[in-house]
């Protein structure tokens, strides 16, 4: 596949999502429509280093294809991150950014014939927000969809109200936020880490299976930090699923 050309994008809006996370809306002026597949990412060439390979930063697209030339990114400020510090402190509405994309193969299958588990932490929710809204808006046939989203506290939740509303509109979609360092104070949610949630669902679904070859078909999409992904891969294979059922996008 030929690499995408570098283009210029203009920041047309910036919104605070949480205390340390912003939503950047970027317009690609030279295109009438910025076409991409849900789950893909863009790469910026930021003026943060003299060496090219140390200037590139990639971010998953948080919006979904809508026929326009605007897309959204969800970015968290990393204390020691040269890229995010530049974006948070130097970029304003009207700023121009050099970008390349869309890129990546972390995308939905052509036909959704299995249960899909979207497992993420932090801003790893971005590609799954794109996928889920795309499925809902285009009435794509699907099996069970699970979004298992882990973060530390309620103030770290991203797109929380939107995902709760989507769960009411999208058939067979279950939104499962889980907090590792805080309770919910009466609001519906889970505590602990993401792993126990998909393990419980899979074990319940597969109780009647006589052999590993007859497990309920499922695919697992993982997006987040390396430690979470490494643990998830081990636990999913321990459930009896092979590595081909696991798809991942690594952050950091």
């Amino acid at each position: 596949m030929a690499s995408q050309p570098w283009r210029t994008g203009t920041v047309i809006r910036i919104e605070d999502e949480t205390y340390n996370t912003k939503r950047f809306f970027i317009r690609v002026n030279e295109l009438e429509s910025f076409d991409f597949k849900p789950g893909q990412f863009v790469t910026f060439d930021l003026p943060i280093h003299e060496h090219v390979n140390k200037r590139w930063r990639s971010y998953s697209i948080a919006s979904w294809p809508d026929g326009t030339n605007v897309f959204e990114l969800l970015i968290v400020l990393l204390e020691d991150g040269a890229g995010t510090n530049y974006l948070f402190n130097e970029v304003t509405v009207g700023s121009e950014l050099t970008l390349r994309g869309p890129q990546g193969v972390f995308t939905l299958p052509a036909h959704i014939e299995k249960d899909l588990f979207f497992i993420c932490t932090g801003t790893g929710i971005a590609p799954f927000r794109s996928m889920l809204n795309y499925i809902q808006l285009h009435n794509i046939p699907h099996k069970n969809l699970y979004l298992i989203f882990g973060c530390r506290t309620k103030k770290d939740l991203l797109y929380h109200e939107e995902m709760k509303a989507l769960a009411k509109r999208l058939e067979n979609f279950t939104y499962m936020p889980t907090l590792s360092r805080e309770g919910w104070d009466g609001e519906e949610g889970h505590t602990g880490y993401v792993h126990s949630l998909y393990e419980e669902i899979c074990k319940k679904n597969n109780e009647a299976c006589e052999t590993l070859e007859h497990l309920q078909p499922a695919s697992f999409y993982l997006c987040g930090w390396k430690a979470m992904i490494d643990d998830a891969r081990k636990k999913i294979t321990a459930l009896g699923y092979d590595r081909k059922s696991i798809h991942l996008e690594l952050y950091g």
Side-chain angles (χ1 to χ4, degrees):
M1 179 182 298
S3 61
Q4 293 284 339
W6 290 99
R7 305 183 189 276
T8 299
T10 301
V11 178
I12 61 170
R13 191 161 87 251
I14 300 173
E15 296 180 2
D16 291 331
E17 175 67 10
T18 66
Y19 66 100
N20 68 344
T21 308
K22 291 183 182 292
R23 300 165 65 180
F24 291 81
F25 297 82
I26 299 167
R27 183 178 62 225
V28 186
N29 297 313
E30 65 188 270
L31 299 176
E32 290 187 4
S33 177
F34 183 74
D35 298 320
F36 62 93
K37 295 180 180 179
Q40 291 189 301
F41 63 90
V42 296
T43 298
F44 288 139
D45 184 353
L46 302 174
I48 55 176
H49 202 279
E50 59 184 8
H51 295 301
V52 172
N53 64 339
K54 294 187 177 181
R55 296 200 304 258
W56 292 357
R57 297 292 188 275
S58 297
Y59 301 98
S60 293
I61 302 171
S63 53
W64 47 93
D66 61 0
T68 73
N69 60 355
V70 176
F71 64 90
E72 176 185 341
L73 301 177
L74 177 70
I75 301 175
V76 62
L77 177 64
L78 302 178
E79 184 176 345
D80 299 320
T84 58
N85 272 278
Y86 175 81
L87 290 169
F88 273 60
N89 299 322
E90 304 295 333
V91 170
T92 60
V93 172
S95 293
E96 293 188 339
L97 297 168
T98 301
L99 62 91
R100 184 166 67 188
Q103 299 170 284
V105 295
F106 187 69
T107 57
L108 291 167
H111 303 285
I112 304 176
E113 299 174 338
K114 302 178 181 180
D115 290 352
L116 299 185
F117 288 83
F118 299 126
I119 304 164
C120 57
T121 51
T123 53
I125 194 175
F128 301 142
R129 179 197 186 223
S130 178
M131 293 178 184
L132 288 163
N133 276 282
Y134 185 81
I135 290 170
Q136 192 266 325
L137 289 168
H138 293 273
N139 295 313
I140 296 174
H142 59 273
K143 303 295 185 180
N144 293 311
L145 306 170
Y146 302 93
L147 174 60
I148 301 175
F149 174 38
C151 48
R152 293 179 178 178
T153 67
K154 284 186 288 186
K155 70 178 183 178
D156 298 304
L157 289 166
L158 303 165
Y159 301 124
H160 182 54
E161 295 303 321
E162 179 183 314
M163 290 298 106
K164 289 199 298 182
L166 184 61
K168 296 178 181 179
R169 302 195 308 271
L170 180 55
E171 185 179 7
N172 298 326
F173 167 48
T174 305
Y175 170 50
M176 305 179 73
T178 183
L179 305 178
S180 61
R181 299 188 182 180
E182 187 178 53
W184 286 89
D185 296 328
E187 184 181 357
E188 186 175 350
H190 303 267
T191 56
Y193 296 98
V194 294
H195 309 295
S196 62
L197 299 182
Y198 62 80
E199 285 180 317
E200 181 180 352
I201 295 169
C202 290
K203 288 176 181 177
K204 182 178 180 180
N205 289 346
N206 295 323
E207 281 179 353
C209 298
E210 297 179 359
T211 65
L212 294 181
E213 286 74 20
H214 294 90
L215 294 176
Q216 181 163 320
S219 289
F220 302 82
Y221 285 73
L222 315 175
C223 190
W225 295 102
K226 185 176 185 300
M228 183 278 285
I229 287 179
D230 286 346
D231 285 346
R233 292 171 75 179
K234 293 176 184 176
K235 294 180 183 298
I236 291 167
T237 53
L239 289 167
Y241 292 94
D242 61 35
R243 291 181 176 272
K244 293 181 180 179
S245 67
I246 301 173
H247 313 270
L248 58 90
E249 191 79 281
L250 182 64
Y251 279 12

